[in-house]
Amino acid sequence: MALDIKASRPYPALFSLPWSTPLEEWPADRLAALPRGISRHIVRFARVDGRVLAVKEIKSDIALREYNMLKQLRRLHLPCVEAIAVVTGRTAPDGSPLDACLLTRHLQFSMPYRAMISQTLRPDAATRLIDALAVLLVKVHLVGFWWGDVSLSNALFRRDAGEFAAYLVDAETGELRDQLSDGQREHDLDIARVNIAGELMDLQAGGMLPEDMDPIEVSNTIVERYHELWRAITDTERFDASEAWRVEERIRALNELGFDVGELDITTDIDGTTMQIKPQIVEAGYHSRRLRHLTGLEVGENQARRLLNDLVSFTASKNRQNDDEEAVARDWLATIYEPVTRSVPPEMRGKLEPAEIFHEVLEHRWYMSERQRHDVTIEQAVVDYVKHILPTKPDEKNVIAPDTTPMQMDLNP
């Protein structure tokens, strides 16, 4: 059987990988050691042409299906890993067949939930990760994706302006439909609740959670958080026709949650005394799209919200409210954002994303001003942050030493 590589773009370097060797036996010099979690499949992180790719060994039909599903989800602008290629037709030197491999691009600055909890060291870390997973579940359900295996293990997490953002990394059980029924959505929630409870029990047994934390009680929070978000995004609202301003209020509320409203269904009763509104087209990523339009920056949703707020403050401080918005944004980028991110020494730039560093500098400036009881400039804040705070942060981008714990297995897709 001939080796076949189906790739999203020309990638000649893929042919150099040892496809005739079972994935778990790949030589260390071809691999990158990254934080590991739990997976039902063998996964390795390979260095390919200056990039790090996650390689998952699975049956060819499953690999091809997941490759196509991930591409569809990316086209729908959902937060998930990028599918790079599927390699089929693998054979060992003795001619015996080997499973196919799915390759995805490693998501920089992301970590599995175990590594995130162990590095965060905050008692509410597990709850915050579950909140992020609930947001991700709402996003995928809005476009009609039934996940089928929702869990902390099947997502990766990145810091997002002090919170977490979740990214889907395993789509092999998922189905994409025009719309999900309430029963399908609740099925996904039941799967999530059971899986998360088991994952938290495992963490608790390993001493990674407070002893007084009830894994079942905490796992139930994904149901509460999901329903809260879903109602805010999809519920029909009735009000008096004289309160038409509430239409704009509903749109602003959805924007604050990070969702953009493409269409509203607005109806009135026969005598025109009452109105009802229901969002028809809701898309995630309102703040990140707006920031990208103004500055070209690609950042997380919460990071974008924080940067946009700083841009508003900059506009007011320069009395430029009547100037062209894009011109002001370019000046903010050149005089505020870029000088701060460039102030980080090269050896520390792998610790956090630039946008997360900028967010932390703003936080640090606020605390410094409060402590010193006078306004601290952003230049003073970044100097103090780089000297005293950033060196204490774990490195979340660069390759770290491999984890040799026997019970811990690989995670990415």
Side-chain angles (χ1 to χ4, degrees), residues 330-345:
R330 287 194 297 271
D331 290 345
W332 170 84
L333 191 67
T335 62
I336 303 296
Y337 180 81
E338 290 179 346
V340 167
T341 55
R342 283 199 302 264
S343 297
V344 177

Side-chain angles (χ1 to χ4, degrees), residues 286-337:
Y286 169 77
H287 297 98
S288 56
R289 282 195 300 276
R290 176 163 166 72
L291 184 72
R292 182 169 62 247
H293 170 72
L294 291 173
T295 67
L297 294 174
E298 294 277 358
V299 303
E301 181 66 14
N302 289 327
Q303 292 168 342
R305 188 200 314 265
R306 188 65 191 274
L307 269 58
L308 286 169
N309 286 341
D310 194 66
L311 174 56
V312 169
S313 298
F314 172 81
T315 303
S317 69
K318 300 298 182 182
N319 195 26
R320 299 184 61 181
Q321 293 91 333
N322 297 322
D323 289 3
D324 178 75
E325 194 175 33
E326 293 183 26
V328 177
R330 287 194 297 271
D331 290 345
W332 170 84
L333 191 67
T335 62
I336 303 296
Y337 180 81

Side-chain angles (χ1 to χ4, degrees), residues 321-390:
Q321 293 91 333
N322 297 322
D323 289 3
D324 178 75
E325 194 175 33
E326 293 183 26
V328 177
R330 287 194 297 271
D331 290 345
W332 170 84
L333 191 67
T335 62
I336 303 296
Y337 180 81
E338 290 179 346
V340 167
T341 55
R342 283 199 302 264
S343 297
V344 177
E347 64 273 14
M348 286 195 280
R349 289 177 184 169
K351 290 184 173 292
L352 295 170
E353 292 179 275
E356 192 68 17
I357 287 176
F358 188 83
H359 157 73
E360 293 207 348
V361 168
L362 294 180
E363 290 282 290
H364 188 62
R365 179 187 183 186
W366 187 88
Y367 285 118
M368 286 181 66
S369 298
E370 185 182 55
R371 188 170 59 249
Q372 298 179 20
R373 298 188 176 182
H374 65 80
D375 285 342
V376 171
T377 67
I378 197 165
E379 292 82 8
Q380 293 170 326
V382 71
V383 169
D384 192 77
Y385 174 82
V386 169
K387 182 177 181 180
H388 296 111
I389 305 298
L390 189 57

Side-chain angles (χ1 to χ4, degrees), residues 261-304:
V261 181
E263 185 176 308
L264 278 176
D265 183 9
I266 305 176
T267 58
T268 62
D269 57 10
I270 294 176
D271 60 8
T273 59
T274 61
M275 301 175 64
Q276 69 176 28
I277 59 173
K278 179 179 177 61
Q280 291 297 316
I281 302 174
V282 181
E283 186 177 5
Y286 169 77
H287 297 98
S288 56
R289 282 195 300 276
R290 176 163 166 72
L291 184 72
R292 182 169 62 247
H293 170 72
L294 291 173
T295 67
L297 294 174
E298 294 277 358
V299 303
E301 181 66 14
N302 289 327
Q303 292 168 342

